[in-house]
Amino acid sequence: MGLYFNDGTDFDSAGNKFAVQYGMTSNVTCSSSTGTVYLQGNNVYQNGNNGGPGGNFSSGFGVGNSSGYVTFPSTGCYYLSFSVDGITTNTNVRSQTPTIFFTSNNGSSQTTLAQKSTFIHRPTGTTTLNECSVDALVDITDTSNQKVRFGCQPDNIGTYFLQGSSSIVLTCFTIIRVRGT
């Protein structure tokens, strides 16, 4: 049984369709002093737990250890989804903003492809959990220079923790190639 698309086609060995999900392995602190925090290759894994596909449909994707830029295995139109599962415990964080960034020049500069913000209501002295997701479509025509990365930033007054786990998917990003260029 494979992962099927609404056009009735399956992933094929020629690499015409790809899907990958990377989850964060451990919590990451996101605060006004850290600025935007990017998911990086040394803190993510391809989800193969609890029925996840692992690397079965994801050959060729890469995530930079220091930059967090995702390289694509082939040209095409890709659906991107970034889901942040966060927690704040001892500061008055008011919002968090998951963002998908795009570069067309191998990381020399980047633009915001998509972002969302969510309000966090945290009564004094309580732990508050929060989830926010952002989605986008991107047409990759140059796999050497066009890349994306996934980042999050809180407002300017507190500390927010992006939750990670190596056994279940909490903060993660998903990429699916939906068609050719």
Side-chain angles (χ1 to χ4, degrees):
M1 201 85 193
L3 177 58
Y4 289 88
F5 290 85
N6 63 1
D7 64 1
T9 60
D10 193 358
F11 289 97
D12 67 15
S13 61
N16 288 326
K17 295 189 179 173
F18 298 95
V20 67
Q21 184 177 62
Y22 284 93
M24 269 184 24
T25 58
S26 60
N27 291 355
V28 172
T29 300
C30 184
S31 69
S32 56
S33 62
T34 63
T36 301
V37 173
Y38 299 101
L39 277 66
Q40 298 179 344
N42 56 5
N43 191 30
V44 296
Y45 65 97
Q46 287 187 18
N47 177 27
N49 298 326
N50 305 317
N56 292 342
F57 304 115
S58 60
S59 177
F61 284 97
V63 182
N65 280 337
S66 60
S67 69
Y69 278 111
V70 175
T71 56
F72 292 87
S74 68
T75 59
C77 184
Y78 289 85
Y79 167 77
L80 313 170
S81 178
F82 179 34
S83 179
V84 171
D85 188 358
I87 186 170
T88 183
T89 58
N90 60 5
T91 57
N92 294 321
V93 175
R94 297 173 294 201
S95 67
Q96 53 124 332
T97 306
T99 307
I100 301 173
F101 298 93
F102 174 78
T103 181
S104 59
N105 53 19
N106 199 27
S108 294
S109 63
Q110 68 182 18
T111 58
T112 297
L113 181 62
Q115 86 178 30
K116 287 191 179 170
S117 292
T118 184
F119 174 75
I120 301 169
H121 174 68
R122 184 185 163 273
T124 303
T126 61
T127 296
T128 302
L129 303 173
N130 186 266
E131 191 277 333
C132 186
S133 298
V134 60
D135 306 301
L137 287 171
V138 63
D139 190 11
I140 299 296
T141 57
D142 177 355
T143 58
S144 296
N145 291 302
Q146 292 178 321
K147 300 175 182 183
V148 297
R149 67 178 172 174
F150 301 87
C152 188
Q153 60 272 357
D155 59 22
N156 63 359
I157 64 164
T159 300
Y160 188 75
F161 300 96
L162 307 180
Q163 293 195 103
S165 170
S166 58
S167 60
I168 62 171
V169 176
L170 295 170
T171 297
C172 67
F173 61 87
T174 303
I175 302 173
I176 300 173
R177 185 175 186 265
V178 294
R179 67 169 178 79
T181 298

